[in-house]
Amino acid sequence: MKKALITGITGQDGSYLAELLLDKGYEVHGIVRRASTFNTGRIDHLYADPHINGVRMFLHYGDISDSTNLIKLLYRIQPEEIYHLAAQTHVRVSFDIPEYTGDVTGLGTIRILEAVREVGLKSKFYQASSSEMFGKVQSVPQTEKTPFYPRSPYGVAKVYAYWMTVNYRESYGMHANNGILFNHESPRRGETFVTRKITRAAARIKAGLENKLYLGNIDAKRDWGYAREYVEAMWLMLQQPEGDDYVVATGETHSVREFLDETFSYLNLDWHDFVERDTRYDRPSEVDLLIGDPAKAREKLGWKTRTDFKGLVRLMVDADVETVEAETGRKIG
């Protein structure tokens, strides 16, 4: 039975990845931060039947800012595969807390890579890189060879983590991989991220619980895919004979405005009646356009996306409508 360690297991990607690995027969270990409230909502269902998953899933308290703890965990777990997903992942927030973002999102990666080397493991390593590294894009679409031009402290930190992963692969022969994932969403997306913010607000507006949605720049264009499918690419990278870097994307771009159109029209609403601009959500420097070319992932990994833009929006809206119906005890017409 293979052992896998996931940092950020309680997040959107971590929860989907844990499901995937458990389905494949892995013993799954996750690192969680100690908090005064429960923060495992996305993975609680994996404990529902201990005869299926519970005896193969283990959570450990830790933090990627604590290198000593990471070394101890690696000694104890001895994982064959490590998926490093944990980070301060909110781009706008990274402008408010740039030092923390650099420490966790950037240096957190080097702490884990060095811990792997210190313990002497031959673990295959996955680094969650980001399309935000491309920032002010130098070519369209973006590929593995497109130069980086990050436009946020988050993007800069991810570029550092990317190159450290490459450096450890080339210096120490590690099976280290960068998955350059473009925006990927789901019903498990955090409520402060623009896509989930939109679908959640639309469902609540439809139910009469809210009447306004405040957003920043709605003309920004992103390449949006389905997170459940993107974690499959992570796993596929670690099944290859050698480490490498891959763009994971749909190859299509849509604006936040289009996301609003799809969301509100699906609920027979006109978003213009409810959405207002709030400059507090604007970034000091904006990333206007992201669109990835997943040709390498398709050819080398055999990976491709299956959910289109409209399908992604609708599954997110359906989930938020279901949540509101459960809260209110009535159907939304």
Side-chain angles (χ1 to χ4, degrees):
M1 185 185 297
K2 279 187 180 180
K3 292 182 184 178
L5 174 65
I6 303 173
T7 71
I9 194 171
T10 59
Q12 169 189 252
D13 293 7
S15 65
Y16 284 125
L17 179 59
E19 286 180 359
L20 177 70
L21 296 178
L22 288 168
D23 286 344
K24 292 183 178 296
Y26 281 66
E27 178 178 299
V28 175
H29 295 258
I31 298 177
V32 296
R33 286 181 296 172
R34 176 71 177 89
S36 58
T37 56
F38 292 112
N39 58 2
T40 57
R42 293 185 180 95
I43 57 174
D44 284 344
H45 66 287
L46 297 177
Y47 289 102
D49 188 344
H51 298 293
I52 298 176
N53 293 325
V55 295
R56 291 191 287 110
M57 183 169 168
F58 306 88
L59 299 182
H60 309 266
Y61 285 124
D63 196 295
I64 55 174
S65 65
D66 185 348
S67 56
T68 302
N69 175 254
L70 292 173
I71 291 171
K72 288 179 178 178
L73 284 174
L74 290 180
Y75 267 123
R76 189 187 318 156
I77 299 168
Q78 299 279 313
E80 284 91 352
E81 297 177 4
I82 298 172
Y83 298 86
H84 178 41
L85 312 182
Q88 191 299 100
T89 59
H90 200 289
V91 178
R92 178 61 190 86
V93 171
S94 77
F95 286 98
D96 300 325
I97 49 173
E99 181 181 344
Y100 175 79
T101 300
D103 181 41
V104 174
T105 305
L107 292 178
T109 300
I110 192 65
R111 292 187 186 105
I112 295 184
L113 286 167
E114 187 62 11
V116 171
R117 195 173 75 89
E118 176 69 23
V119 176
L121 298 178
K122 299 299 182 183
S123 308
K124 296 180 178 180
F125 179 83
Y126 172 85
Q127 161 62 19
S129 290
S130 169
S131 59
E132 287 289 331
M133 299 188 303
F134 295 120
K136 187 176 181 180
V137 298
Q138 303 300 291
S139 63
V140 178
Q142 292 85 59
T143 72
E144 292 80 5
K145 298 186 181 300
T146 301
F148 299 136
Y149 196 141
R151 299 268 283 173
S152 66
Y154 170 79
V156 172
K158 282 292 187 180
V159 169
Y160 174 85
Y162 171 95
W163 282 116
M164 289 309 302
T165 301
V166 172
N167 187 264
Y168 270 64
R169 181 171 70 220
E170 295 179 349
S171 299
Y172 304 115
M174 290 178 62
H175 193 298
N177 303 263
N178 281 295
I180 309 173
L181 271 59
F182 281 63
N183 293 64
H184 46 291
E185 318 298 318
S186 76
R188 299 182 192 175
R189 189 55 139 156
E191 295 172 357
T192 61
F193 290 83
V194 67
T195 52
R196 182 73 196 291
K197 187 176 179 180
I198 291 171
T199 60
R200 181 177 181 273
R204 295 180 66 80
I205 288 170
K206 184 69 175 179
L209 301 177
E210 296 180 9
N211 55 25
K212 287 294 179 185
L213 169 61
Y214 298 94
L215 296 174
N217 177 21
I218 64 172
D219 293 315
K221 294 182 177 180
R222 296 291 184 269
D223 185 326
W224 276 306
Y226 184 22
R228 184 186 291 276
E229 296 168 358
Y230 281 40
V231 301
E232 296 171 5
M234 300 177 188
W235 178 78
L236 286 167
M237 289 178 208
L238 269 57
Q239 311 316 304
Q240 304 308 304
E242 296 180 346
D244 207 341
D245 310 314
Y246 300 88
V247 163
V248 179
T250 69
E252 295 182 7
T253 190
H254 298 274
S255 66
V256 176
R257 187 184 299 271
E258 288 177 80
F259 202 99
L260 284 166
D261 286 336
E262 287 292 342
T263 298
F264 279 80
S265 63
Y266 184 47
L267 294 175
N268 296 313
L269 297 171
D270 184 343
W271 66 265
H272 297 87
D273 297 332
F274 307 101
V275 177
E276 291 188 9
R277 179 73 182 271
D278 190 334
T279 56
R280 290 178 299 175
Y281 295 118
D282 289 350
R283 303 178 185 179
S285 55
E286 183 58 82
V287 173
D288 297 317
L289 167 68
L290 291 174
I291 177 171
D293 179 357
K296 182 178 177 180
R298 184 170 56 247
E299 293 164 9
K300 290 194 68 176
L301 304 179
W303 178 88
K304 63 179 180 179
T305 186
R306 301 182 297 277
T307 304
D308 64 12
F309 177 69
K310 180 177 290 189
L312 173 63
V313 172
R314 292 190 172 192
L315 70 86
M316 292 180 67
V317 174
D318 287 342
D320 278 320
V321 166
E322 185 177 332
T323 298
V324 170
E325 289 177 342
E327 290 175 359
T328 61
R330 56 186 174 84
K331 297 289 289 184
I332 298 177

